[in-house]
Amino acid sequence: MWNPPRPQVRLRALRLAPLAAAALLAACAPLQTRQSLQAVNVITLPHTGTPLHLLRDPAQQQDAQAQIDALLSKPLSADDAVRIALLGSPALQGLIAQTQADSADSTQSARLTNPVFGFERLLIGGGVEITRSLSFGLLDLLTLPTRSRLNDTQQTQLRLSLARAVLRTAAQARLSWVRAVAAQQTAAYDRDVVEAAKATAILADRMRQAGNFTKLDAAQQGLFAADSQLRLSRAELAATQSREALVQALGLSAEQAARLALPTQLPEVPKQPSAAAPMALQTALDQRLDVQLARADYTATAQAAGLARATSLIEHVELGGVRKTYSDAPPQNGFDLSLPLPLFDLGDARRSAAADRVLAEAHPERAKIAVLAIPQPLEAGEALAKLRAINPALTLLARAHSEGEVKHLLEHGADGAVLAERELAFSLAEMVMSTPPYRPQRVPG
């Protein structure tokens, strides 16, 4: 007989429904491939003047080739070379696609796994036993905030890495253009020198025949003409190599390379330097992509190491509800919990690998001082020993919570250990001594 739900149960379910819906929406991390490309354009567009696109279909590729052909129809400028490199470089297109694939993988790692529905039907004697279950990853739910933060950091990491690659591609295209035009201009100058040297050598030989030049003077003019021809051959070879390097940097096909025309000379050097105000050191450090990328790399590695430490012993926990019915018997409701038993794999390998990755990202071989504030003294001691082995000249400072921890850290290579509780007591004592009853009276001036 069906029993309708009680009003209190129905009201409670209605109250919990919005919370459950919000939790499900929060668990569905949005795909950020398009937003990542837009963020990269925000960084690179002021420097390149050309937005970045992933050419997914033949129509987009044909449109890009049409733009390249239009730019190649006239002598190529430095800015046009940058546009062509960003429009048609196969290496850059492959990097954009790989970055978007990595972005999608990072988003996937920040989502909850789908719940699992189980159905079991057994024939027992003359009756039928039916078991229904619905389970989800409990550990995935508990680690969702950490994985979401890690995903945000990895997305930033991918954007900065792609932006750096785009700016490097643009800089390489501009540098290749300058070298190609300069080599072409040098070859044209040497060609004029060769023509003048040949004329001078012919005139010197005629003057020798007329008795106005000695044989030595005529031979010197002939030697200068031969040396000019040798310099011209070298300049033409350098111009060809520079042109091929430009074609490779722009990603041109053989047909497009044949239509590539360069200006006859480089643009004039500005008479006055840029009047832009000098940038403050901190502003320059904040805007440098390599510094931002190094920070993002280290933060992502540290967050991944924290997640690895938390899940190294038990990787997956499933919690589910079970409903079992047997013929006309009352239904049985309950739950099940399943988790792996850490008997053979204690997770020490994953924890060690995560810690080593953090050390590698910190580049201790180039550092001068390192400060460790790890709350676990055993892990702090291992990190100190590894840092000391990598860089014996590194100054190591660590935080401790007891005299025993201070001794342990000093034995493992720390140059100094700060006892947090002791420093807190010193600070409190200084504050107490600065209160009016203990503060020395001020003598009026």
Side-chain angles (χ1 to χ4, degrees), residues 1-5 323 327-331:
M1 181 177 179
W2 179 75
N3 294 320
R323 180 179 177 85
S327 297
D328 294 333

Side-chain angles (χ1 to χ4, degrees), residues 382-405:
E382 293 179 2
L384 288 170
K386 291 179 180 179
L387 288 172
R388 181 62 69 198
I390 295 173
N391 188 352
L394 183 63
T395 300
L396 298 175
L397 302 176
R399 183 189 69 175
H401 294 281
S402 65
E403 295 291 347
E405 291 184 11

Side-chain angles (χ1 to χ4, degrees), residues 312-370:
S312 60
L313 193 61
I314 298 177
E315 295 182 279
H316 188 67
V317 179
E318 283 194 1
L319 177 64
V322 179
R323 180 179 177 85
K324 181 178 294 187
T325 59
Y326 177 75
S327 297
D328 294 333
Q332 300 176 1
N333 299 323
F335 70 93
D336 65 348
L337 180 69
S338 61
L339 69 162
L341 297 178
L343 298 179
F344 306 109
D345 183 8
L346 300 179
D348 53 340
R350 287 190 291 273
R351 290 192 296 271
S352 177
D356 291 341
R357 291 191 191 98
V358 174
L359 286 180
E361 286 293 338
H363 298 290
E365 69 279 359
R366 301 199 301 263
K368 295 183 179 180
I369 186 171

Side-chain angles (χ1 to χ4, degrees), residues 155-177:
Q155 296 293 344
T156 302
Q157 185 181 12
L158 292 171
R159 293 166 187 170
L160 293 174
S161 180
L162 180 57
R164 182 179 64 175
V166 171
L167 293 180
R168 282 181 175 176
T169 301
Q172 183 61 40
R174 192 178 296 274
L175 179 60
S176 299
W177 180 88

Side-chain angles (χ1 to χ4, degrees), residues 70 91 131 238:
T131 304

Side-chain angles (χ1 to χ4, degrees), residues 402-412 417:
S402 65
E403 295 291 347
E405 291 184 11
V406 171
K407 181 180 179 181
H408 175 77
L409 297 176
L410 294 177
E411 290 176 350
H412 282 74

